[in-house]
Amino acid sequence: SVLTSSMDETAKIWKSDRGLKCEHTLEGHMRPVRSAVFSPDDMYVLTASDDHTAKIWEAASGRALQTLHGHTDSVRSATFSPDGARIITASDDCSARIWEATSGHGLQVLGGHEDALDAAVLSKDGSTALTAVRNRTAKLWHVETGECRSTIHGHRHMEILWTEAISREEVVRA
């Protein structure tokens, strides 16, 4: 499967058995969808939107399961932790948020950024978060305490950790 997000306020899941055919259109956001990713087990889709929310969808049906509320500005990216248990979102409100994936319960707010965030990811063991900020800095965070461990300076243009929205099943077949 292939996953796309769009300025038309939707994301789409495409099947690539014989060419690309749209299997599900994920409708429910009220503003453009900035990112869309599969969960590590390919069972769920996570979208981030300018409507200040992220949403969790069931990949097999396209049904919305949870809406993550809490940001006060556009959510630029949302990703699952490597084990799929948690979610991290990055927003123009200068914060990242960590959520429990099955319930959508907010676990931690990573604030103190001086500019909007472009991306955020969790480490393999889930203990550390990395956020990329538009002011060309990145921050490392202790997830449990929400404390900033360090700030990274030095890039002229900060773009970190691109996530391909292609399921592992498709990568193996390709």
Side-chain angles (χ1 to χ4, degrees):
S1 296
V2 174
L3 183 59
T4 59
S5 61
S6 175
M7 298 295 284
D8 71 2
E9 304 171 1
T10 69
K12 292 181 184 264
I13 301 171
W14 305 82
K15 280 294 186 191
S16 57
D17 295 334
R18 294 183 186 104
L20 286 178
K21 179 182 176 191
C22 182
E23 184 173 59
H24 298 292
T25 299
L26 309 180
E27 297 178 303
H29 283 293
M30 302 304 204
R31 304 281 312 270
V33 178
R34 294 294 178 169
S35 74
V37 296
F38 285 107
S39 62
D41 63 5
D42 295 324
M43 299 291 293
Y44 303 98
V45 169
L46 177 62
T47 56
S49 172
D50 284 351
D51 67 7
H52 308 181
T53 69
K55 288 184 181 283
I56 304 167
W57 311 79
E58 185 178 62
S61 68
R63 183 172 59 97
L65 301 175
Q66 297 278 346
T67 300
L68 308 180
H69 295 278
H71 285 291
T72 59
D73 207 335
S74 297
V75 180
R76 293 294 175 162
S77 76
T79 59
F80 286 95
S81 60
D83 65 2
R86 293 183 178 182
I87 290 167
I88 188 165
T89 54
S91 173
D92 283 354
D93 69 7
C94 303
S95 75
R97 289 180 178 259
I98 299 171
W99 315 80
E100 202 280 322
T102 55
S103 70
H105 177 73
L107 300 173
Q108 191 65 262
V109 177
L110 307 177
H113 297 90
E114 296 174 6
D115 204 347
L117 277 68
D118 285 323
V121 294
L122 292 166
S123 63
K124 286 183 182 181
D125 67 3
S127 68
T128 303
L130 176 64
T131 56
V133 187
R134 287 210 191 116
N135 68 359
R136 299 179 291 213
T137 62
K139 290 182 179 279
L140 284 171
W141 300 86
H142 185 272
V143 168
E144 293 306 318
T145 65
E147 292 180 51
C148 181
R149 290 182 172 173
S150 62
T151 300
I152 302 165
H153 302 274
H155 288 283
R156 283 182 276 160
H157 183 72
M158 182 73 71
E159 288 190 23
I160 62 164
L161 305 166
W162 292 99
T163 302
E164 286 188 273
I166 299 174
S167 70
R168 273 157 285 305
E169 177 183 299
E170 184 63 24
V171 172
V172 170
R173 278 193 273 156

